[in-house]
Amino acid sequence: MNLQSHQRAGKVLAELISDDIIIENTEDALNVLGNVYYQGFDHLIIHQKNLTKDFFDLKSKRDCKLNSVQKF
């Protein structure tokens, strides 16, 4: 996983670059968010291919906390 920096409208954005699924559960999501925050980024761009399919299925009760991250 790499983070590529972008600047737009005075904000620093981190784009998550990877060919793998990076976020499969709540712990993964919190680790990525913490890493991005620690490095001083204002926003995070995550591509669909880096998220588990369950992330997009709000009816899935596999991990309710992960679905809550979607709202973040």
Side-chain angles (χ1 to χ4, degrees):
M1 173 183 91
N2 292 315
L3 294 175
Q4 183 175 354
S5 180
H6 302 278
Q7 291 195 9
R8 176 153 304 206
K11 302 286 184 178
V12 182
L13 295 82
E15 180 181 6
L16 188 129
I17 305 293
S18 179
D19 290 329
D20 301 320
I21 293 176
I22 300 299
I23 298 178
E24 294 190 46
N25 55 49
T26 305
E27 185 177 334
D28 293 342
L30 292 174
N31 284 338
V32 169
L33 290 173
N35 187 7
V36 166
Y37 178 76
Y38 178 77
Q39 292 187 43
F41 291 103
D42 299 309
H43 299 282
L44 175 62
I45 301 167
I46 304 173
H47 298 277
Q48 181 178 351
K49 68 181 179 181
N50 301 126
L51 301 167
T52 182
K53 291 180 183 180
D54 289 343
F55 184 84
F56 299 99
D57 182 9
L58 296 179
K59 293 180 182 178
S60 164
K61 299 300 179 188
R62 187 181 79 82
D63 192 341
C64 293
K65 291 180 183 177
L66 180 59
N67 291 335
S68 297
V69 172
Q70 182 177 26
K71 296 174 186 175
F72 180 77

